[in-house]
Amino acid sequence: MTAAPTWLTATPPTPNGDLHLGHLAGPYLAVDVLRRFLAAEGTPVRMTTGLDDHQSYVPVRGLLSERTGAQVADGYGERIRAAWTAAGIDFDTVVLPREQPGYTDFVQRFFAELHRQGAIVPRTRPLPYCEPCGRWLYEAYLVGSCPHCGESSNGNACEPCGRPNECGDLGDPHCVVCGSAAVPREQTRLFLPLAPFAERLAAFWAEVDMPPHLRALCETMAAAGLPEIAVSHPGDWGVPVPVPGFTDQRIYVWFEMAPGYLLEYDPAGERPQRGPVQFFGFDNGYFHAVLFPSLFMAWDGQLPLPSAFVVNEFYRLAGKKFSTSRRHAVWALDALAEHDSDTLRYQLLRDRPNGRQSSFEHGDLEQARRHLDREWNGWLRRLLAAVRQECDSVAPAEQPAGPAWELLRGRLERTADELREAYSVRGFDPRRALDLLDEAVRCVRDFGHVQAHEPDPAARRAALAAQLAAASALAAWAAPVLPAGAERLAALLSADPGRPVDAAALTAPAPGTKLFTPDGPVFGAGADV
């Protein structure tokens, strides 16, 4: 029997604007790093996501720009996928809610089953209403102060503290579209009470691998008493509620995302054989750690729940949070038109907001490009020029040898072990991986400078073979984070691309192997060699 693939998911982005660098620095580059590492190991892996077409932020963006929701979703959805491709991110499945056959039917069947079980119940509670617009306000249509932390929040969930709200409990509610003060009116919606899942959620939280910040959010919500979550809203954008008396309402998009994840794994909705490793930002933490597991438990008690949550904090731009809706961003496609994917990936992974918020500053990408060219490419240029001069651009017959090589090899083998940890699910830390790669390049570069003074030609050639072994290792070890440059380096060395990240990659090309001189930068280049 074929082993079930390791399933990696990244939270679907909302197509209400272009993908920005905050998105890339969060789940999308990170999930691609893990996928590439596992694939090189020979592990079957499936990396999935979707587009969050039915978020209310989409039609709100349309209202504010005189477009329809469909025009907004289609235009930005295409650009989001183009940005993934340009950044070297290659999903196995991208679910498109408004295009995928059977999507609406499955989401409605999922909803109807939970209603049939009694997990979803009607509740009549205040909901803000905008009289000038003649519209009920929820999620993106609504802004006010969070009932938990007091910060500015949209309806349904607060980005700063990560906790849900009922919309009617926001302080000083206003309409986002026209700016008018909202009027609370009684409205009957469908709700999912989370309290019946409390014990099972606690057991799940005890097992799943997640960071302390998210665990603290879960425990805070549990201590306060798990709330009831509105899972339907009066509106005309999204999947219609399949329950009599509520068919004029739409399924809450974050409810919709749970069956959407199952369709990412299998379009027929078949049960996954193992739980996913999920990548998302902390502002989406409650959905992934509380709401979705509750929905999966209600749908199928035997469904494998996530095995790990890889969570990023907010990435800031000049000290303020990246925001698509507020247009405070550096757009990914714009950055990739000016800089290659290696440079972008190096900077964003090196500055990944892992465990704490970090901030992007204008000029960071240019500094990253210069660093890669000076340190990484500078060493490779000198090495390949020396091989051309000493060995006529073929791998020398001499093998790496000598006390200096033994010392360097020991360091590099330890680096390989630490890289494997930094790329693994349990120790996942791309920032650490890039620090290790930078250190390895510095060590080998210094070795090369010292050994260039060796008077014995055979010893000099052995030192060149040692550096070629390190370059071969770099082509494998850097591939998860900088795949374009790693592939170019492998081609220069006539080495196989996509090798595992391990000490075995630290092997010089066979004597007589033709080596190629780059006609441009190897890392941070964007040009073919």
Side-chain angles (χ1 to χ4, degrees):
M1 179 180 295
T2 303
T6 296
W7 180 20
L8 311 178
T9 73
T11 189
T14 303
N16 65 324
D18 278 1
L19 210 64
H20 57 62
L21 299 192
H23 294 129
L24 289 180
Y28 304 117
L29 283 176
V31 72
D32 184 69
V33 170
L34 182 56
R35 176 188 70 83
R36 291 177 181 278
F37 171 70
L38 293 174
E41 294 284 293
T43 301
V45 61
R46 182 178 301 172
M47 189 173 85
T48 71
T49 190
L51 290 179
D52 203 9
D53 284 6
H54 294 147
Q55 279 279 6
S56 56
Y57 292 89
V58 172
V60 167
R61 179 65 181 162
L63 289 169
L64 295 174
S65 59
E66 299 183 347
R67 287 177 288 174
T68 67
Q71 288 172 331
V72 171
D74 290 342
Y76 286 124
E78 183 176 346
R79 290 178 63 82
I80 286 170
R81 284 178 284 166
W84 281 332
T85 299
I89 301 167
D90 186 16
F91 287 100
D92 296 296
T93 301
V94 177
V95 167
L96 307 178
R98 294 177 302 110
E99 297 181 18
Q100 180 156 325
Y103 179 92
T104 296
D105 289 345
F106 184 70
V107 170
Q108 289 181 321
R109 181 157 56 90
F110 191 104
F111 192 99
E113 173 59 22
L114 269 60
H115 180 265
R116 185 193 67 78
Q117 295 177 16
I120 293 174
V121 294
R123 296 282 189 264
T124 302
R125 293 176 181 166
L127 183 66
Y129 186 82
C130 178
E131 292 181 340
C133 291
R135 179 183 293 113
W136 294 99
L137 304 182
Y138 62 94
E139 207 180 32
Y141 292 101
L142 175 66
V143 67
S145 58
C146 173
H148 306 294
C149 71
E151 295 289 332
S152 178
S153 172
N154 291 114
N156 295 94
C158 174
E159 278 193 352
C161 74
R163 295 181 65 178
N165 62 69
E166 292 184 2
C167 301
D169 54 358
L170 288 182
D172 191 25
H174 280 71
C175 174
V176 167
V177 176
C178 75
S180 299
V183 177
R185 292 186 180 181
E186 293 295 298
Q187 172 63 256
T188 302
R189 293 174 288 165
L190 293 169
F191 282 72
L192 174 80
L194 293 176
F197 303 97
E199 289 187 6
R200 283 180 286 175
L201 283 171
F204 166 64
W205 296 335
E207 293 181 358
V208 68
D209 185 358
M210 64 175 163
H213 194 185
L214 181 56
R215 191 172 299 279
L217 173 63
C218 294
E219 293 179 357
T220 296
M221 289 184 62
L226 291 174
E228 297 186 341
I229 304 300
V231 294
S232 75
H233 296 293
D236 58 6
W237 180 257
V239 177
V241 173
V243 174
F246 295 90
T247 53
D248 60 339
Q249 296 191 17
R250 296 297 181 267
I251 295 173
Y252 178 37
V253 70
W254 284 99
F255 180 107
E256 174 190 330
M257 197 178 295
Y261 270 130
L262 299 181
L263 289 175
E264 288 178 19
Y265 183 83
D266 188 300
E270 293 296 323
R271 179 195 296 167
Q273 298 178 48
R274 59 195 300 181
V277 177
Q278 296 193 305
F279 288 71
F280 53 87
F282 177 76
D283 54 325
N284 296 159
Y286 133 74
F287 300 113
H288 288 82
V290 183
L291 179 61
F292 296 164
S294 299
L295 294 174
F296 292 141
M297 291 171 187
W299 168 254
D300 180 353
Q302 301 303 311
L303 191 70
L305 296 177
S307 60
F309 295 138
V310 181
V311 184
N312 61 275
E313 300 289 337
F314 286 137
Y315 196 42
R316 295 184 174 272
L317 171 59
K320 296 181 180 180
K321 180 182 174 292
F322 275 88
S323 173
T324 299
S325 58
R326 292 186 288 274
R327 325 313 288 171
H328 178 68
V330 174
W331 308 113
L333 285 176
D334 290 345
L336 286 161
E338 185 175 353
H339 295 279
D340 64 285
S341 63
D342 278 344
T343 297
L344 189 80
R345 289 172 72 109
Y346 179 89
Q347 177 58 36
L348 298 187
L349 290 169
R350 176 175 168 270
D351 202 26
R352 174 175 161 78
N354 179 30
R356 85 285 184 270
Q357 297 183 13
S358 55
S359 184
F360 178 86
E361 301 292 337
H362 294 289
D364 283 352
L365 290 174
E366 179 58 22
Q367 289 183 16
R369 186 197 66 78
R370 290 178 179 176
H371 171 82
L372 286 171
D373 195 53
R374 181 179 63 250
E375 305 296 331
W376 294 40
N377 295 329
W379 162 55
L380 292 171
R381 280 193 294 266
R382 287 191 297 273
L383 169 60
L384 292 171
V387 171
R388 182 175 64 250
Q389 180 178 347
E390 296 262 359
C391 311
D392 197 25
S393 291
V394 298
E398 289 79 3
Q399 292 298 299
W405 163 243
E406 294 302 323
L407 181 62
L408 177 61
R409 184 176 64 181
R411 290 174 178 170
L412 294 176
E413 288 176 345
R414 291 191 295 273
T415 295
D417 290 338
E418 292 192 50
L419 276 170
R420 291 182 61 80
E421 179 182 81
Y423 285 141
S424 70
V425 174
R426 184 174 181 180
F428 188 76
D429 190 351
R431 297 180 62 200
R432 174 63 177 150
L434 281 166
D435 284 344
L436 289 164
L437 291 169
D438 271 336
E439 182 180 4
V441 169
R442 284 194 298 271
C443 287
V444 182
R445 182 193 62 197
D446 291 347
F447 171 89
H449 279 299
V450 171
Q451 298 304 311
H453 297 287
E454 172 61 53
D456 179 8
R460 285 201 307 273
R461 290 193 294 270
L464 291 177
Q467 292 183 74
L468 289 171
S472 178
L474 183 64
W477 296 353
V481 286
L482 306 181
E487 185 173 350
R488 283 191 289 269
L489 179 55
L492 290 172
L493 301 175
S494 297
D496 293 332
R499 289 167 294 147
V501 176
D502 58 22
L506 190 62
T507 303
T513 299
K514 176 65 176 177
L515 306 179
F516 298 92
T517 301
D519 57 7
V522 178
F523 290 93
D528 293 332
V529 296

